[in-house]
Amino acid sequence: MSELPVGARLLVRCRADWREASVAKKGSAHITLVVSAPSGRAYRLRRAGDLALSYDGELPLLGAGEWRAHLVRADLRW
């Protein structure tokens, strides 16, 4: 995951669903992601920089499973 630049977008597996995220900060050992919640808010996740990403075409995925059936859309009113 360390190959992604700050601002890069990806999909992250969160419990039972997939959510959109972006890389907010890169440190020496950790990467901070900003994840959009279905309520319209956002929260941060801190993950190790050496985690392996999988790709669906050019879309980076962090986690395992079928993402198309369980993708959660954030509240787009804002």
Side-chain angles (χ1 to χ4, degrees):
M1 190 160 70
S2 62
E3 70 270 7
L4 293 176
V6 172
R9 299 199 174 255
L10 65 151
L11 292 178
V12 178
R13 176 71 180 217
C14 296
R15 293 188 185 166
D17 54 10
W18 288 84
R19 298 183 181 180
E20 298 172 357
S22 61
V23 177
K25 182 179 174 183
K26 292 176 73 172
S28 59
H30 294 91
I31 293 179
T32 303
L33 302 173
V34 176
V35 181
S36 59
S39 65
R41 294 185 169 262
Y43 61 93
R44 293 186 186 124
L45 287 178
R46 192 170 158 192
R47 297 290 184 244
D50 60 353
L51 289 176
L53 292 173
S54 58
Y55 287 88
D56 186 359
E58 293 188 23
L59 180 66
L61 306 169
L62 181 60
E66 177 58 38
W67 68 270
R68 293 177 195 269
H70 302 287
L71 181 63
V72 173
R73 298 296 297 183
D75 187 1
L76 300 176
R77 290 182 287 172
W78 306 104

